[in-house]
Amino acid sequence: MSKQIFVTEDEADILELVRLKLETAGYSTQGFTRAQDMLDRLQLELPELIVLDLMLPDLDGLEACRRIKSNPAWEHVPIIMLTARSDIRDRVKGLEFGADDYVTKPFDTSELLARVKAVLRRSGWESSRNVLNITSDFRLDFNRYEAWIRQQKVDLTLTEFKILQLLTRRPGWVYKRGQILDHLWGNDKVVLERTVDVHIRNLREKLGDYAYMVKNIRGLGYKFSPEKPEPEDGKDQP
Ligand code: CA
């Protein structure tokens, strides 16, 4: 099953070059020389990614990008803009309109291919991150703000869930109390760092057997790691 990519470009030779490169790399492609044709096609099927030229005869690429990204059914499809304009403002606008990346013409098709791969990797990672299976019976649902352990929903407060969300973003990464506070309440420094400890203590209590995954790094902060504690900790050994 090869991933489908829509390529929208009115210059026929560039369109062919891009399609050839992508197909040689194992993707299947559909080519469009007009933005409207591509938008019509989107009503029928969704590709994994869209390569979209900025300068098109019928509709500005930015406008096409805006339409795709403002449609809830299409917004998750990543877009890479092709732009001949060296004007930085156009690129910024493209990214503001939701484009995921851009390549400036003239470009090397290998560079475009590398960007395509990177964007697909990122979007696949992000969508799979909506549900994180930490173990076979411990999972986090980031869309619903829910934690589940052995088919049971864990009764976490929003603050506790957000701490878990932050820590699991980078397993093994140590977050300082101040960073956790920033994540929870922005720069509202009225809240004491000690509050973090209280929330973490409550969170751990609710995680039961999995409490060990939220680790205190003395003098630094906290980290999430599914690894069992070292033997000298003397508990939870297999
Ligand atoms: Ca063009």
Side-chain angles (χ1 to χ4, degrees):
M1 273 218 324
S2 54
K3 288 181 172 171
Q4 170 101 257
I5 297 177
F6 284 4
V7 184
T8 312
E9 164 65 76
D10 59 311
E11 285 160 77
D13 50 346
I14 297 181
L15 178 63
E16 281 319 301
L17 269 177
V18 169
R19 292 187 66 186
L20 184 66
K21 186 73 182 182
L22 294 174
E23 295 199 344
T24 305
Y27 298 102
S28 68
T29 68
Q30 287 191 46
F32 305 89
T33 51
R34 287 161 29 91
Q36 192 55 53
D37 295 343
M38 189 263 295
L39 293 174
D40 290 346
R41 192 70 205 166
L42 281 180
Q43 307 275 5
L44 304 173
E45 61 175 324
L46 288 181
E48 299 282 333
L49 182 142
I50 296 169
V51 175
L52 180 63
D53 187 28
L54 184 67
M55 304 282 278
L56 292 163
D58 61 324
L59 188 66
D60 190 87
L62 285 177
E63 174 58 18
C65 178
R66 194 193 60 76
R67 288 193 199 175
I68 292 165
K69 292 298 185 181
S70 60
N71 183 325
W74 300 345
E75 63 181 2
H76 66 280
V77 179
I79 296 176
I80 295 180
M81 301 280 303
L82 300 180
T83 166
R85 300 179 190 173
S86 54
D87 192 335
I88 188 83
R89 279 170 301 182
D90 282 322
R91 297 184 215 165
V92 170
K93 218 189 275 173
L95 295 175
E96 273 175 5
F97 280 11
D100 297 82
D101 205 351
Y102 60 85
V103 175
T104 310
K105 288 179 183 174
F107 59 88
D108 186 80
T109 50
S110 300
E111 186 201 343
L112 176 64
L113 178 62
R115 300 290 184 95
V116 164
K117 285 180 177 169
V119 168
L120 283 175
R121 207 159 44 228
R122 208 160 67 206
S123 72
W125 188 78
E126 278 165 5
S127 63
S128 70
R129 290 286 287 189
N130 288 336
V131 173
L132 179 65
N133 292 301
I134 295 161
T135 69
S136 56
D137 59 7
F138 178 17
R139 95 186 129 87
L140 300 177
D141 185 328
F142 296 115
N143 291 327
R144 296 182 175 82
Y145 287 80
E146 290 171 359
W148 291 76
I149 293 178
R150 289 181 207 95
Q151 323 294 334
Q152 295 280 320
K153 194 164 101 178
V154 186
D155 186 25
L156 299 181
T157 64
L158 181 59
T159 299
E160 289 157 5
F161 187 87
K162 282 178 151 182
I163 291 175
L164 208 44
Q165 185 180 34
L166 177 71
L167 297 182
T168 56
R169 199 179 281 170
R170 287 174 170 167
W173 189 282
V174 179
Y175 288 90
K176 295 177 182 146
R177 287 175 180 76
Q179 290 174 311
I180 296 173
L181 284 177
D182 282 349
H183 175 71
L184 295 173
W185 294 289
N187 289 318
D188 186 2
K189 291 293 185 195
V190 180
V191 187
L192 297 170
E193 296 199 347
R194 216 167 35 230
T195 338
V196 172
D197 301 332
V198 176
H199 288 300
I200 296 259
R201 195 170 63 225
N202 294 337
L203 172 63
R204 275 193 181 140
E205 226 160 76
K206 293 178 185 177
L207 292 182
D209 293 350
Y210 291 120
Y212 70 87
M213 293 185 178
V214 178
K215 298 175 166 73
N216 180 12
I217 307 303
R218 210 171 292 278
L220 287 173
Y222 294 95
K223 75 172 181 182
F224 184 89
S225 166
E227 282 162 39
K228 295 268 183 175
E230 296 293 314
E232 52 266 34
D233 289 5
K235 52 179 179 177
D236 286 325
Q237 287 313 297

